[in-house]
């Protein structure tokens, strides 16, 4: 079992996530790849003091990148989309 503070790595702030925030009260986070949905739910509720209704997770594969003849790979990572109870809100960077 992971420590609750090490589960969430960073919030994801994209246009697609901003649209989901407005339409469905959903927020996205980059999380530890070993974390499960229960650990993610508890970590979000502890850190932001909100009620989580659902957690959806996906493993994102790292892209292969080239620079001339050299080829490298970005790291794989895990994304979690968290649906909050109606009326709850997370203040990440609303005025950016």
């Amino acid at each position: 079992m992971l420590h609750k503070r090490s589960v969430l790595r960073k919030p994801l702030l994209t246009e697609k996530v901003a649209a989901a925030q407005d339409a469905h009260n959903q927020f996205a986070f980059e999380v530890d790849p070993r974390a499960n949905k229960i650990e993610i739910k508890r970590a979000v509720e502890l850190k932001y003091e909100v009620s989580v209704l659902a957690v959806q997770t996906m493993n994102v594969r790292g892209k292969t990148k080239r620079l001339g003849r050299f080829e490298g790979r970005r790291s794989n990572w895990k994304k979690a989309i968290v649906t909050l109870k109606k009326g709850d809100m997370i203040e990440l960077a609303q005025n950016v």
Side-chain angles (χ1 to χ4, degrees):
M1 187 163 141
L2 296 171
H3 192 272
K4 289 180 180 67
R5 299 203 184 266
S6 66
V7 172
L8 300 177
R9 290 194 175 162
K10 65 181 179 180
L12 297 176
L13 303 173
T14 63
E15 291 180 14
K16 191 172 185 178
V17 172
Q21 287 176 10
D22 296 336
H24 306 290
N25 205 24
Q26 293 179 333
F27 295 84
F29 296 92
E30 180 180 335
V31 296
D32 190 294
R34 299 169 294 173
N36 60 34
K37 292 181 179 186
I38 297 167
E39 292 171 339
I40 295 167
K41 178 181 178 179
R42 287 180 184 156
V44 171
E45 289 178 342
L46 177 72
K47 185 169 184 178
Y48 296 105
E49 298 177 359
V50 293
S51 297
V52 175
L53 296 179
V55 177
Q56 297 169 319
T57 60
M58 60 200 78
N59 291 309
V60 181
R61 298 188 67 183
K63 294 181 180 179
T64 303
K65 292 294 183 178
R66 289 182 53 137
L67 183 60
R69 64 181 180 156
F70 300 104
E71 189 173 282
R73 219 174 120 72
R74 291 186 181 168
S75 299
N76 297 335
W77 55 286
K78 190 171 192 176
K79 182 195 299 190
I81 299 175
V82 178
T83 305
L84 301 182
K85 186 175 125 183
K86 191 169 184 171
D88 285 348
M89 189 69 167
I90 296 176
E91 295 294 329
L92 297 174
Q94 300 297 333
N95 298 328
V96 175

